[in-house]
Amino acid sequence: MGLREYATTEGGRAATLVAPPFLYALALLALPILAVVLFSFWTQDFMTVDTSFTLANYREILDKPIYTMLLGRSLMVSGIVTLVTVILAFPVAYYVSFHVQPSKKSLWLFLITIPFWTSYLIRVFLWKVILGYNGVINSGLVGAGIIDEPLSFILYNVNAVIITLAHAFAPFAILPIFVALEKIDRSLLEASQDLGESRVTTFFRVTLPLSMPGLVAAVLIVFIPTIGDYVTPELMGGAGGKLIANMIQTQFLQLNNAPLGAALALVAMVCVTAISLVFVGLNRRWLRGR
Amino acid sequence: MTPLIELKGVEKHYGDYHALRGIDLDIRQGEFFSLLGPSGCGKTTLLRTIAGFEAVSSGTIRIDGRDMKGVAANHRPTNMVFQSYAVFPHLSVAENVGFGLRRDPRSKAEKARAVEQALEMVGLGGYGQRRAHALSGGQRQRVALARALILEPKVLLLDEPLSALDKKMREQMQVELIRLQRQVGITFILVTHDQEEALVMSDRIAVMFEGEIGQMADPETLYRRPASKRVAEFIGKMNFLPADVRRDGGAIEVDVAGLGRGAIAAEQAPGGVPVGAATVGLRPETLAILFEGEATDRRVAEGVVDEVVYYGDMTYYDVRVPGVDRPLNIAMKNLIGRPVLDVGTKTRVAWDERALVLLPG
């Protein structure tokens, strides 16, 4: 079969369609990751890179507490951000799905995505304005006489990072939960009440389990990118709020130690993958047959 | 004996839309009762007000003597089989059937036995561990039935439970539902738009149009003595003929256009006796085509075959009779030796005034 005939078959057509993005992903995703993997097994020798295979970088990451501490903090921050975001997103998604008229639902979704109209960077800076020493919250509370001194625990620390990230990722959590809730056949809720359950117990026995796929998706969508987030901890984290991404950046650009940076990046990636796989496993359990 | 379910003046408004207009209904313990009507007639709304999913705008609903006002669905002695079956997709068959047993004081093992018994009752013994999504439509329906019956409700509400099944399956389920109802002795209220289904299954039927009950009777009365043209049209086939009605003392005499005069009894006019111009109805199977040389003691009219529809066991003829504005629809059994006539054949039609129904409106 010649190439021309192959292109007209079902498989051939699919291959033709998928080839451009596939090549793109290969060149811009797979090859760079391969380069990172290679670099992580090399070492920096002042100005040159020593390309002999070694595990020295990984040993250093394990030996020096700063790296494991940063990794632990990153995991903790993304964990809290995920928890806060999903818990806050669920009621919003629930309200839009169950209490907004069908004709107004798309308007609500549109409103939820409005924050995306401004750039991420600007939104982070805006939180600075809100949380800052002379920011909206502090001057408001001082002006109202509720506090005498501006609150200091809401800027340039981990708390500020969590608040900013939770806000930035809220729409990403709302949308998958909303979709899962929309897919629930409303007669199931009536059936549950018919079989003796109240509205509250119906929520826990029917609505919540059936929205699990959306919840798991929301958790993944928030958790994975926040672990590697660089901008927010850089701008909002101060000295004590830096995360693993900031250290990777420092290694690559300031300390000129690309191999160690690459190893750190890989370790973070493996952590994210491991945790994500647990959630994918959970998702599978809930999705079984649906 | 007080009825199990008592509806008095039940009204339901959705904004400007008047869904139920003063429904009065008594349903007895152990009865198989059907709400029959075209879509949009309010039959499902009525069922949902009994179940407690819709509040009535006015009027009262009493179940077993207790006023249901303010009683939520989860506290009513009713259970429902939903049109979509509403089988929980995240649970196994056994978990679905045992869903309502959470507060039941029995032990786990006893509940499991009850679930298995309920499954056996609907012909799904041994299916307990299957996932709900792996079931066919008919099996889902049985799960929904078992799930409702295991709670031994005073009333089982069925919302078009058979409409999603194919014809064979539907007929089989009809028979099974009747058997099941007799076995458990629970009052069944069935909502359906399928007149045949209602006739086959019910002890009594309420025919609904536009939020009102058009007629409430047992299947035979409903079929043979419909109280209005609308009911007659909705249930089975009916030939409608203009007629002139005269009362002579106790006797009612009708002059049917194209067929002739006849006297009818009072019960042949269940909707009342109008005087002057009226409509009479004749079921297709009460008319007969007289084949070559066949004699009859019934009244006879001459006609010409206009249309032939062959059904296998039956043949439906449209016969044009002079003086009758529309062809008469006649159902004939295809007995041995009986030919199927061709269009254009001249024929005689036998009719009987005892089969006439006098219809107001």
Side-chain angles (χ1 to χ4, degrees):
Chain A
M1 186 162 62
L3 196 61
R4 191 165 287 178
E5 288 98 276
Y6 174 69
T8 60
T9 63
E10 192 78 14
R13 224 176 299 156
T16 316
L17 275 174
V18 92
F22 179 74
L23 291 175
Y24 185 84
L26 197 70
L28 294 170
L29 265 172
L31 291 179
I33 286 179
L34 204 67
V36 169
V37 173
L38 274 178
F39 258 87
S40 76
F41 294 110
W42 294 343
T43 40
Q44 188 74 30
D45 189 11
F46 190 50
M47 289 303 278
T48 56
V49 172
D50 177 358
T51 58
S52 50
F53 180 87
T54 170
L55 290 172
N57 293 320
Y58 292 99
R59 217 168 296 130
E60 191 179 346
I61 292 171
L62 282 178
D63 286 348
K64 288 216 177 129
I66 175 85
Y67 299 124
T68 36
M69 189 273 282
L70 277 178
L71 197 60
R73 187 194 281 164
S74 295
L75 288 172
M76 183 204 61
V77 166
S78 347
I80 294 174
V81 167
T82 307
L83 200 71
V84 169
T85 311
V86 170
I87 287 176
L88 292 180
F90 196 94
V92 178
Y94 187 90
Y95 178 80
V96 177
S97 178
F98 282 82
H99 296 292
V100 172
Q101 283 175 27
S103 59
K104 297 225 171 88
K105 279 182 185 173
S106 39
L107 175 70
W108 273 78
L109 294 181
F110 174 75
L111 292 175
I112 286 166
T113 57
I114 277 189
F116 286 113
W117 292 16
T118 50
S119 98
Y120 181 40
L121 200 59
I122 290 172
R123 272 180 284 148
V124 176
F125 272 113
L126 285 174
W127 274 106
K128 249 181 163 158
V129 172
I130 295 168
L131 300 173
Y133 196 76
N134 291 317
V136 178
I137 291 180
N138 276 327
S139 51
L141 289 176
V142 171
I146 295 169
I147 51 170
D148 299 326
E149 297 252 305
L151 305 168
S152 56
F153 66 90
I154 51 173
L155 191 61
Y156 298 129
N157 57 22
V158 172
N159 296 335
V161 175
I162 291 172
I163 292 172
T164 310
L165 284 175
H167 171 254
F169 282 94
F172 290 116
I174 293 172
L175 293 178
I177 297 173
F178 170 77
V179 171
L181 290 172
E182 280 292 282
K183 273 167 67 181
I184 297 176
D185 179 357
R186 298 307 191 251
S187 66
L188 293 175
L189 309 181
E190 287 189 341
S192 168
Q193 282 172 41
D194 189 62
L195 295 167
E197 298 296 349
S198 67
R199 280 166 180 276
V200 176
T201 50
T202 292
F203 176 81
F204 286 107
R205 289 192 77 188
V206 182
T207 316
L208 193 59
L210 287 175
S211 62
M212 231 8 127
L215 274 172
V216 172
V219 164
L220 288 176
I221 287 174
V222 177
F223 184 77
I224 294 174
T226 47
I227 272 228
D229 193 77
Y230 161 77
V231 174
T232 301
E234 186 68 26
L235 293 174
M236 305 293 285
K242 292 284 193 290
L243 302 181
I244 193 74
N246 307 96
M247 179 52 87
I248 295 169
Q249 187 262 359
T250 306
Q251 292 294 345
F252 268 98
L253 300 180
Q254 278 153 36
L255 300 177
N256 193 24
N257 192 349
L260 186 58
L264 274 172
L266 268 184
V267 169
M269 214 159 91
V270 168
C271 284
V272 173
T273 311
I275 294 170
S276 304
L277 282 178
V278 172
F279 273 101
V280 169
L282 279 179
N283 202 13
R284 219 162 278 130
R285 188 181 126 61
W286 288 111
L287 275 175
R288 193 162 35 169
R290 265 181 288 137
Chain B
M1 196 178 108
T2 54
L4 183 66
I5 298 174
E6 231 183 318
L7 273 66
K8 276 215 174 75
V10 169
E11 302 259 345
K12 177 74 189 174
H13 297 268
Y14 295 103
D16 288 340
Y17 183 63
H18 204 166
L20 296 175
R21 303 162 188 257
I23 301 286
D24 294 311
L25 204 60
D26 286 345
I27 298 171
R28 290 186 291 269
Q29 161 61 38
E31 198 169 16
F32 198 130
F33 192 89
S34 290
L35 296 168
L36 172 67
S39 52
C41 72
K43 56 191 191 300
T44 294
T45 304
L46 186 58
L47 195 77
R48 291 172 58 82
T49 59
I50 297 172
F53 296 128
E54 309 274 355
V56 297
S57 304
S58 64
T60 55
I61 296 176
R62 300 175 85 84
I63 301 178
D64 210 14
R66 203 168 131 228
D67 192 348
M68 286 292 128
K69 192 181 167 97
V71 180
N74 49 333
H75 292 122
R76 293 199 182 189
T78 59
N79 281 121
M80 184 137 154
V81 175
F82 290 82
Q83 187 168 13
S84 61
Y85 313 143
V87 171
F88 301 113
H90 58 303
L91 302 177
S92 71
V93 168
E95 285 167 332
N96 260 286
V97 174
F99 190 90
L101 295 178
R102 189 167 65 90
R103 284 195 200 77
D104 195 300
R106 283 179 286 180
S107 73
K108 244 185 168 167
E110 281 174 306
K111 285 189 206 177
R113 216 171 306 130
V115 166
E116 191 50 40
Q117 270 173 11
L119 282 172
E120 267 162 30
M121 185 168 68
V122 296
L124 282 183
Y127 277 67
Q129 293 320 305
R130 297 223 187 164
R131 289 253 131 199
H133 65 83
L135 301 178
S136 70
Q139 289 169 332
R140 269 169 219 238
Q141 155 137 79
R142 286 157 199 263
V143 171
L145 259 174
R147 185 176 71 179
L149 288 174
I150 197 171
L151 302 176
E152 294 170 2
K154 291 207 163 72
V155 188
L156 184 72
L157 309 169
L158 302 116
D159 185 10
E160 306 243 7
L162 308 178
S163 60
L165 304 177
D166 62 56
K167 192 169 188 290
K168 274 251 157 62
M169 193 69 202
R170 194 158 61 224
E171 282 167 2
Q172 187 192 333
M173 280 308 291
Q174 286 174 3
V175 176
E176 274 189 51
L177 273 177
I178 299 168
R179 176 187 60 81
L180 207 59
Q181 198 257 345
R182 283 188 194 138
Q183 185 186 333
V184 296
I186 292 172
T187 307
F188 278 31
I189 304 182
L190 172 80
V191 158
T192 180
H193 64 267
D194 183 339
Q195 43 101 6
E196 198 179 287
E197 189 172 297
L199 291 177
V200 168
M201 299 175 76
S202 325
D203 296 320
R204 268 192 318 150
I205 301 169
V207 187
M208 289 181 68
F209 298 106
E210 289 156 18
E212 286 174 309
I213 292 178
Q215 190 177 3
M216 184 157 48
D218 61 276
E220 198 188 339
T221 308
L222 213 54
Y223 186 81
R224 292 186 54 203
R225 306 275 185 247
S228 69
K229 207 173 155 183
R230 235 173 6 171
V231 173
E233 233 166 2
F234 192 72
I235 295 175
K237 286 184 182 165
M238 182 74 99
N239 293 297
F240 295 107
L241 301 161
D244 199 43
V245 184
R246 266 192 311 190
R247 289 206 83 142
D248 188 6
I252 308 162
E253 199 170 277
V254 290
D255 185 359
V256 185
L259 293 183
R261 278 171 200 283
I264 63 168
E267 66 258 28
Q268 282 171 263
V273 183
V275 174
T279 303
V280 293
L282 271 171
R283 294 282 183 199
E285 67 277 8
T286 66
L287 296 166
I289 283 181
L290 293 175
F291 292 90
E292 283 289 314
E294 221 174 321
T296 183
D297 51 1
R298 292 155 76 183
R299 320 276 300 261
V300 176
E302 302 274 336
V304 179
V305 176
D306 200 46
E307 187 77 71
V308 182
V309 182
Y310 181 72
Y311 270 83
D313 57 338
M314 306 280 289
T315 305
Y316 280 87
Y317 294 98
D318 280 346
V319 178
R320 208 169 268 288
V321 175
V324 182
D325 54 350
R326 264 179 298 179
L328 291 173
N329 192 255
I330 303 172
M332 293 300 289
K333 267 219 157 75
N334 291 328
L335 303 177
I336 298 169
R338 195 178 264 180
V340 174
L341 299 180
D342 293 326
V343 172
T345 314
K346 275 194 168 175
T347 184
R348 289 173 300 149
V349 175
W351 67 283
D352 197 318
E353 66 258 36
R354 284 172 304 177
L356 282 177
V357 204
L358 189 54
L359 299 163

